[in-house]
């Protein structure tokens, strides 16, 4: 994790070399907000059609026995078909997260494992995405994106949301959706 943060700070340091007409945006993913996950993204223009997006999210909450604790980062290099921060883009993203989840309610689409078990671990990987940004006002935009990719998940499995006896220590390869966002954006020049 420390290496990831050092790498991101290094990249941001390189961006300051070309400071004239540089655009920076701050954003919040409304889908994360709906799950009580605090999040903040910073997107920096690298060139006329290239940006670097660095969203970070954190959820420290525990509701009764249900857990959705996690933090994650998903930097993405984007190519815009029109110009930076405007219309359609494609992206190449990486991701890393630590998690402690389980004990979820018996809702539709929630697996029995997520209701009765707890999973604690980390994941990393990458993928491709596509998205679109709609300009609302001079500095405000709305952006939607989806992505597909790969994640390597390393985790410990526990028999219930509050139990401490580990059942197994395992890993899993995942291929599928790795990104979904509907973000409100404020552009800083």
């Amino acid at each position: 994790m420390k290496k990831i943060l050092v790498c991101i700070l290094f990249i941001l340091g390189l961006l300051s070399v070309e400071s004239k007409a540089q655009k920076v945006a701050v954003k919040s993913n409304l889908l994360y907000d709906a799950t009580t996950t605090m999040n903040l993204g910073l997107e920096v223009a690298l060139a006329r059609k290239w940006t670097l997006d660095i969203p970070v999210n954190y959820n420290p909450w525990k509701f009764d026995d249900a857990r959705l604790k996690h933090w994650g980062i998903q930097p993405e290099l984007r190519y815009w078909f029109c110009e930076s921060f405007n219309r359609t883009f494609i992206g190449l993203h990486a991701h890393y997260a630590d998690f402690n989840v389980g004990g979820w309610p018996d809702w539709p689409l929630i697996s029995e494992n997520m209701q009765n078990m707890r999973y604690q671990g980390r994941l990393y990987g990458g993928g491709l995405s596509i998205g679109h940004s709609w300009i609302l006002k001079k500095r405000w935009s709305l952006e939607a994106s989806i992505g597909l990719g790969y994640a390597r998940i390393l985790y410990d499995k526990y028999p219930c949301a509050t139990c401490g006896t580990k059942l197994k220590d395992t890993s899993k390869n995942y291929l599928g959706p790795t990104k979904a966002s509907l973000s409100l954006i404020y552009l800083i020049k």
Side-chain angles (χ1 to χ4, degrees):
M1 180 180 101
K2 191 175 183 181
K3 289 179 184 179
I4 293 170
L5 292 175
V6 169
C7 184
I8 290 169
L9 290 174
F10 176 74
I11 290 168
L12 289 175
L14 291 176
L15 298 177
S16 65
V17 173
E18 184 188 324
S19 60
K20 70 177 185 180
Q22 184 139 0
K23 291 183 182 178
V24 176
V26 292
K27 55 178 68 178
S28 179
N29 185 343
L30 303 175
L31 300 178
Y32 279 145
D33 292 340
T35 65
T36 70
T37 300
M38 296 178 278
N39 69 95
L40 185 63
L42 179 70
E43 188 168 0
V44 180
L46 303 175
R48 184 173 175 267
K49 293 187 175 196
W50 292 91
T51 61
L52 178 64
D53 181 34
I54 305 172
V56 178
N57 60 74
Y58 176 62
N59 190 327
W61 316 121
K62 178 182 169 197
F63 303 100
D64 296 322
D65 288 338
R67 294 173 190 244
L68 185 58
K69 293 182 176 189
H70 67 274
W71 82 267
I73 185 166
Q74 195 171 45
E76 179 173 62
L77 183 63
R78 293 177 169 182
Y79 175 79
W80 296 80
F81 292 105
C82 183
E83 63 181 347
S84 297
F85 305 101
N86 191 10
R87 298 192 185 163
T88 305
F89 65 86
I90 55 172
L92 174 65
H93 62 267
H95 44 257
Y96 178 87
D98 286 327
F99 59 87
N100 185 352
V101 298
W104 291 8
D106 184 11
W107 292 341
L109 302 178
I110 301 294
S111 73
E112 196 172 305
N113 279 340
M114 288 305 292
Q115 294 170 33
N116 300 322
M117 304 289 177
R118 179 171 63 89
Y119 300 88
Q120 185 173 346
R122 65 186 183 279
L123 65 83
Y124 58 89
L128 301 171
S129 65
I130 187 165
H132 192 87
S133 181
W134 295 271
I135 296 173
L136 302 175
K137 290 196 171 209
K138 182 179 179 182
R139 295 191 181 271
W140 291 96
S141 297
L142 186 65
E143 176 187 286
S145 70
I146 57 170
L148 297 173
Y150 167 80
R152 176 75 173 157
I153 307 168
L154 309 165
Y155 62 93
D156 298 331
K157 183 177 179 180
Y158 297 88
C160 69
T162 57
C163 299
T165 306
K166 182 173 24 173
L167 292 175
K168 68 178 177 176
D169 181 1
T170 190
S171 63
K172 180 179 182 179
N173 292 310
Y174 168 81
L175 191 60
T178 53
K179 181 174 188 152
S181 70
L182 180 62
S183 299
L184 185 60
I185 300 168
Y186 181 75
L187 188 65
I188 304 169
K189 290 200 176 193

